[in-house]
Amino acid sequence: MIGHGIHDLYNVQDAVADSDGLINVVLIPLAGVVVFPKMIAPLLIKREHDVAAISEAQANQATVLGVAQRDISSDKLEPGQLFSWGTEMALGRLMHMPEGGTSVLAQGRRRVEVVKFIQTEPYFRVKGRVLEEDYSPHREITALMRVTKNLFRRCVEFNPQLPEEAQVYAFNVNEPGWLADLVASTLNLLLNERQELLETCDPVERLRHVNTLLGRELEVLELEERIQTQVREEVDRNQREHYLREQMRVIQHELGEADIFQQELTDLRKRIDASTMPDDPRDKANKELARLMMLPPMTPEVGIIRTYLDWLLDLPWQDRPDDQQDLRHAANILDAEHYGLPKAKERILEHMAVRQLAPDKMRSPILCFVGPPGTGKTSLGKSIAKALGREFVRVSLGGVRDEAEIRGHRRTYIGAMPGRIIQTMRRAGTTNPVFMLDEIDKLGVDFRGDPAASLLEALDPEQNNAYSDHYLDVSYDLSRVFFITTANYLDTIPEALLDRMEVIEFPGYIEEEKLSIAKLFLIPRQLDQHGLADHGIRFEEEAIQIICREYTYEAGVRNLEREIAKICRKLARRVAEGRPTIKRVTPKSLGKYLGPPQFIPMLTEEEDEIGVATGLAWTEAGGDIMAIEVTMMPGKGSLMLTGQLGEVMQESAQAALSYTRSRAAQLAIDPEEFDRLDIHVHLPEGAIAKDGPSAGITLALALISALVQRKVRRDVAMTGEITLRGRVLPVGGVREKILAAHRAGVRTVLLPKRNEKDLTEIPKRVLKELTIILVKTMDEVLEQALLSEKDPE
Ligand code: ADP
């Protein structure tokens, strides 16, 4: 419905009232249309008679009255089916439509109320009363009109069906009734609402009514607009993304990257299909691959997923080379590569034997090799792998504090990686390697979790068939792995871990053993590695002995091997320079190759002294000897300790002091003396705090020596804990300590009586060269080690 009449379109006079004040006009029924005064609307005239009536009126230059039908469905029109108010209209030219019917453009003139029908056949003619519009200007009306115009302006803005000019027309209308009609004709209203507006005679009231309708319309329009904007934004975004993606595809295509990426995806697919993974990880891999395919190749996530898939695919899942089952062959390998170590070798062969008999029931044992460095733990592990025909891998746990290092980081972390166990399994490349975990006694524990706990899970045969690594996120079967852990000490290994392992001790070697190892293994190997195997070079036995004694000081043979390597390098250089080959390495030539001796067995040359006693300590490197020194000075009876002393050592010192006080009379010490002297105890380097108590008798001896001013025999070394009453209690690490004493050239060792059983572990040869005296009380210690003559000073 268009319509905004500023001026009259057609040159037709309004009907003139008769003497009764009514006009006499032809009535044209309108189907679904209400024409407002001054507004223009196209009409469709259906009835033939109406067309004829219009023609007649036009011939007379007369207006007609358009009245809306209440009901447009019925064919037969009766006066009662028409509303009683209509609009006097001027009509344009009749136009016959090709599809039938006649159309005509009408412009409203005035509101007319039908008073009576004076003709109904063949068309309607009525008498009607013209409504003369009237109002008196008022501020409220001006305001109302302004509001209406504003609302209307917004309506026009929102409604694309309304031409921009409509707003301009409205702006120029200065009568409330006219403005109401103008706006009403543009609004989307029901027929009844339109008719109601037509029948509202008071212009101001009509405008108010229109205003309400306008507000409603505006709300709907705004809502529509909002919805449309949302839809548009959504569409825009999708289009934008699509557009960018397309561009990226083209760029990548140009660069050849898309093809590479596609190729990679295909490769991954093939690798997953070809892999021997169990269902779980396979599902996972497929899922990740599906995600990968959805991503554009440049996103950072692509790298993360790809790395993850690589891990899954690179891990060994199933392949399992047949274990070597031949026991004799295995025994040969172990013997061929290692001297001695009967217990360890025996245990491996037992394991293999059981495996042969009950292959399925057999769980892999978890061995724990404990001993000082250089005693062959690692190299025996390698031999075991060789004997079993398996891969050998090793990982060090020294200093690991973070649980994530063992068990990995979740993939949500940037740069996340699997933990060391899974990393090492990938390195192994098979599911059943010999897996060595070094230094489990040096695991740390802190706020980042307890690495031992995750190790437990890996080592526990009950649950390690489904080991979980945070990064991997699928369980991994470790049950076929042959785990070997190594440690220098047992006491710092977490109890729960220790429970699961079978401990095999690697004691330090005595000199005789070292000589054999050097002759049979180290020297041939070093000569071979230095390309000297065929030069007929021989190390004299005495030379090796001197290397052991004067150039190394250790429980194992690591440094011995290093010194031998040093000599080999020098010899190889001579050969390379074309100088005559040296065939023999003699004691005399050692200085030339190795420089002056590093360790001189000093003890035997050491003088006996007051307040200095020789103790035996159990250290990281095996055993060691240490001198404990005590001095006195005038003071108030305080006790001071320096050097590497722990709390335990404090207690030992206190115990020693208390014992000495209680024996003051027998020892001929003036009891007053204790309060007049400050006592200073010093332990030189090397002695470790953990084994503190075993220094008890040594400390007491040095203390008493200082108090009674009698010298102590330096060639007597001792170990033992002391009680307040002077009893001597047993200690640990006896074998290591006695070997250390032997190495150091000590003649006599004082050992707690209750350690007698440990002597069975000491090589016969060592026992032959040492005098071992078993003591039960401190008195016996004094008897053996304290010299009788008083110092002349
Ligand atoms: P660990 O792991 O106990 O610190 P290694 O296994 O590294 O010690 O041993 C150090 C070196 O000593 C290796 O070259 C090893 O072959 C050699 N070795 C140690 N014990 C023996 C032995 N019983 N027989 C032959 N070689 C040995």
Side-chain angles (χ1 to χ4, degrees):
M1 175 134 327
I2 51 166
H4 39 71
I6 296 265
H7 46 79
D8 295 344
L9 271 183
Y10 304 112
N11 190 16
V12 180
Q13 293 299 314
D14 289 345
V16 181
D18 296 338
S19 53
D20 54 4
L22 302 175
I23 55 168
N24 183 331
V25 283
V26 168
L27 183 149
I28 305 294
L30 304 177
V33 182
V34 173
V35 179
F36 289 97
K38 291 196 168 63
M39 303 304 135
I40 299 166
L43 303 177
L44 193 66
I45 313 295
K46 284 205 179 127
R47 302 199 311 169
E48 282 302 318
H49 301 304
D50 291 340
V51 177
I54 289 170
S55 301
E56 189 193 312
Q58 279 181 331
N60 300 333
Q61 295 221 319
T63 54
V64 300
L65 180 63
V67 179
Q69 295 169 224
R70 289 180 195 274
D71 177 9
I72 53 171
S73 55
S74 75
D75 292 342
K76 187 99 173 66
L77 254 182
E78 314 247 328
Q81 285 166 352
L82 296 167
F83 287 109
S84 51
W85 280 84
T87 309
E88 184 187 5
M89 318 181 292
L91 299 177
R93 231 157 44 85
L94 280 166
M95 285 186 290
H96 301 284
M97 310 301 284
E99 62 273 21
T102 306
S103 122
V104 67
L105 213 55
Q107 185 178 34
R109 286 280 168 89
R110 300 177 293 182
R111 282 179 164 72
V112 173
E113 185 181 15
V114 176
V115 178
K116 69 173 176 209
F117 282 78
I118 48 179
Q119 176 192 321
T120 52
E121 290 296 336
Y123 53 84
F124 297 113
R125 182 171 278 280
V126 295
K127 285 251 171 186
R129 183 180 298 114
V130 176
L131 174 77
E132 294 300 341
E133 214 146 276
D134 188 25
Y135 79 99
S136 41
H138 189 276
R139 275 220 302 273
E140 195 202 341
I141 297 174
T142 319
L144 188 60
M145 285 178 67
R146 199 174 292 161
V147 169
T148 311
K149 286 177 184 177
N150 276 335
L151 286 178
F152 185 63
R153 201 190 64 227
R154 286 175 53 200
C155 252
V156 174
E157 275 168 14
F158 280 130
N159 191 344
Q161 271 147 26
L162 288 178
E164 279 293 308
E165 309 89 78
Q167 201 238 117
V168 181
Y169 289 127
F171 190 74
N172 285 298
V173 170
N174 46 16
E175 282 172 37
W178 183 3
L179 183 62
D181 289 345
L182 169 62
V183 173
S185 68
T186 63
L187 288 179
N188 235 334
L189 300 177
L190 298 172
L191 182 71
N192 279 330
E193 290 171 322
R194 289 177 181 283
Q195 185 65 32
E196 197 186 334
L197 282 171
L198 187 72
E199 293 178 11
T200 306
C201 298
D202 178 21
V204 179
E205 193 186 321
R206 195 186 319 143
L207 186 59
R208 277 208 191 95
H209 194 170
V210 162
N211 226 323
T212 317
L213 294 172
L214 195 55
R216 189 186 74 186
E217 173 88 358
L218 201 60
E219 240 170 61
V220 174
L221 282 173
E222 276 177 350
L223 196 63
E224 265 177 17
E225 167 80 11
R226 232 185 2 251
I227 293 170
Q228 272 182 1
T229 316
Q230 275 172 8
V231 171
R232 202 163 44 233
E233 277 173 3
E234 189 70 19
V235 171
D236 281 357
R237 215 187 33 242
N238 287 344
Q239 271 184 343
R240 201 178 105 90
E241 249 172 50
H242 176 75
Y243 176 73
L244 288 176
R245 255 184 236 283
E246 275 305 298
Q247 277 205 329
M248 196 148 81
R249 250 233 308 275
V250 173
I251 292 171
Q252 278 162 354
H253 187 75
E254 286 298 313
L255 292 173
E257 278 173 7
D259 299 346
I260 294 173
F261 186 55
Q262 276 310 319
Q263 186 58 44
E264 274 178 22
L265 290 179
T266 321
D267 287 352
L268 280 171
R269 168 89 281 141
K270 277 192 206 144
R271 281 173 68 197
I272 295 176
D273 291 344
S275 157
T276 49
M277 284 189 251
D279 291 346
D280 237 21
R282 183 183 300 281
D283 286 350
K284 185 90 186 160
N286 280 328
K287 236 179 257 166
E288 294 293 324
L289 183 62
R291 269 182 68 204
L292 196 57
M293 293 206 272
M294 310 258 287
L295 293 171
M298 299 299 227
T299 33
E301 215 176 339
V302 165
I304 296 176
I305 298 181
R306 208 152 42 179
T307 315
Y308 176 72
L309 280 174
D310 275 341
W311 272 106
L312 276 187
L313 290 166
D314 287 349
L315 267 181
W317 291 100
Q318 220 135 57
D319 42 338
R320 176 180 189 178
D322 275 352
D323 275 8
Q324 276 283 359
Q325 295 290 0
D326 187 347
L327 278 184
R328 214 148 11 110
H329 173 73
N332 283 343
I333 290 183
L334 294 181
D335 281 335
E337 297 185 348
H338 289 91
Y339 174 89
L341 304 175
K343 273 195 217 161
K345 290 177 181 171
E346 217 168 274
R347 181 63 192 90
I348 307 304
L349 295 174
E350 277 166 18
H351 163 72
M352 287 180 70
V354 179
R355 213 184 160 79
Q356 263 182 7
L357 298 179
D360 298 329
K361 289 187 196 123
M362 185 61 192
R363 282 204 188 117
S364 287
I366 294 159
L367 304 183
C368 177
F369 291 176
V370 181
T375 44
K377 299 184 293 297
T378 313
S379 77
L380 188 70
K382 285 186 192 159
S383 292
I384 291 172
K386 196 156 149 198
L388 292 170
R390 296 188 181 194
E391 289 297 321
F392 177 81
V393 281
R394 105 185 238 235
V395 64
S396 175
L397 300 176
V400 168
R401 293 170 179 285
D402 193 343
E403 194 197 348
E405 278 198 56
I406 307 272
R407 212 204 271 276
H409 279 292
R410 287 182 200 290
R411 257 193 302 153
T412 40
Y413 281 86
I414 297 203
M417 283 262 276
R420 292 198 189 188
I421 295 204
I422 291 296
Q423 287 184 28
T424 312
M425 285 311 290
R426 175 160 96 168
R427 210 151 23 91
T430 69
T431 49
N432 60 349
V434 171
F435 192 135
M436 188 167 262
L437 294 153
D438 273 334
E439 304 196 301
I440 60 160
D441 52 341
K442 311 227 171 28
L443 270 183
V445 177
D446 70 4
F447 63 95
R448 280 165 297 192
D450 180 0
S454 28
L455 259 195
L456 261 183
E457 202 187 298
L459 296 180
D460 185 352
E462 299 295 330
Q463 48 177 334
N464 71 1
N465 59 347
Y467 174 72
S468 74
D469 180 276
H470 289 324
Y471 178 83
L472 218 52
D473 211 20
V474 284
S475 54
Y476 188 81
D477 186 356
L478 290 174
S479 63
R480 293 194 295 278
V481 176
F482 191 136
F483 281 109
I484 299 175
T485 62
T486 76
N488 293 134
Y489 276 121
L490 278 185
D491 5 0
T492 48
I493 301 177
E495 195 71 31
L497 266 180
L498 202 54
D499 274 355
R500 287 181 170 66
M501 302 187 295
E502 197 174 316
V503 174
I504 295 179
E505 297 209 36
F506 280 60
Y509 298 117
I510 58 167
E511 194 176 286
E512 205 178 23
E513 290 169 321
K514 288 184 186 176
L515 289 182
S516 300
I517 294 173
K519 271 192 284 188
L520 293 172
F521 298 96
L522 307 182
I523 295 172
R525 184 160 63 215
Q526 289 304 329
L527 286 175
D528 185 45
Q529 282 176 9
H530 287 84
L532 298 170
D534 302 329
H535 287 75
I537 296 172
R538 267 197 56 225
F539 281 63
E540 279 184 10
E541 178 150 342
E542 209 185 324
I544 307 174
Q545 209 165 30
I546 291 174
I547 302 175
C548 287
R549 282 185 195 162
E550 299 184 12
Y551 289 90
T552 66
Y553 187 76
E554 58 178 350
V557 292
R558 195 173 279 174
N559 291 328
L560 176 60
E561 186 169 23
R562 203 171 294 151
E563 296 300 319
I564 291 169
K566 215 190 261 179
I567 295 174
C568 289
R569 274 203 304 280
K570 300 254 154 75
L571 297 180
R573 183 169 164 199
R574 277 186 74 99
V575 173
E577 285 171 351
R579 289 190 277 163
T581 319
I582 290 175
K583 297 278 183 196
R584 289 168 153 275
V585 178
T586 59
K588 267 218 255 121
S589 62
L590 286 179
K592 203 162 71 197
Y593 302 125
L594 303 177
Q598 306 286 315
F599 305 94
I600 301 168
M602 313 148 288
L603 258 185
T604 36
E605 278 107 68
E606 206 83 49
E607 293 220 358
D608 299 336
E609 269 184 70
I610 289 174
V612 183
T614 310
L616 293 172
W618 188 15
T619 72
E620 194 110 329
D624 203 351
I625 63 165
M626 62 172 178
I628 293 185
E629 298 172 19
V630 174
T631 49
M632 311 272 172
M633 58 209 96
K636 295 195 286 292
S638 66
L639 178 66
M640 183 168 71
L641 295 100
T642 54
Q644 295 196 350
L645 300 155
E647 227 166 85
V648 185
M649 204 61 114
Q650 278 276 359
E651 284 168 21
S652 294
Q654 281 297 349
L657 189 60
S658 301
Y659 163 77
T660 313
R661 270 174 189 266
S662 69
R663 288 298 166 95
Q666 284 103 310
L667 294 168
I669 304 170
D670 177 4
E672 306 268 296
E673 198 85 335
F674 290 101
D675 301 324
R676 286 198 297 263
L677 291 170
D678 278 350
I679 301 166
H680 180 181
V681 179
H682 180 73
L683 270 93
E685 33 67 65
I688 59 143
K690 101 193 319 300
D691 191 33
S694 77
I697 57 170
T698 324
L699 226 161
L701 176 62
L703 191 66
I704 293 165
S705 153
L707 280 166
V708 300
Q709 292 291 304
R710 278 163 62 187
K711 286 184 181 172
V712 177
R713 278 177 60 186
R714 284 305 297 279
D715 63 342
V716 175
M718 66 212 68
T719 178
E721 197 178 333
I722 186 174
T723 69
L724 294 179
R725 319 279 284 286
R727 281 194 305 122
V728 179
L729 299 182
V731 294
V734 170
R735 185 187 153 118
E736 299 302 334
K737 284 173 178 172
I738 290 184
L739 291 188
H742 181 244
R743 265 203 306 278
V746 166
R747 302 275 152 68
T748 310
V749 172
L750 305 184
L751 201 65
K753 171 80 175 148
R754 279 160 67 186
N755 276 116
E756 190 171 8
K757 59 178 180 358
D758 298 319
L759 291 178
T760 52
E761 285 180 38
I762 316 282
K764 295 268 154 11
R765 210 179 124 179
V766 174
L767 289 181
K768 229 192 280 162
E769 289 175 13
L770 277 177
T771 311
I772 309 266
I773 298 171
L774 298 165
V775 292
K776 279 191 283 192
T777 64
M778 192 62 209
D779 295 345
E780 291 170 62
V781 175
L782 295 179
E783 200 176 298
Q784 294 298 333
L786 203 58
L787 293 172
S788 51
E789 84 269 25
K790 280 244 181 192
D791 194 60
E793 292 162 37

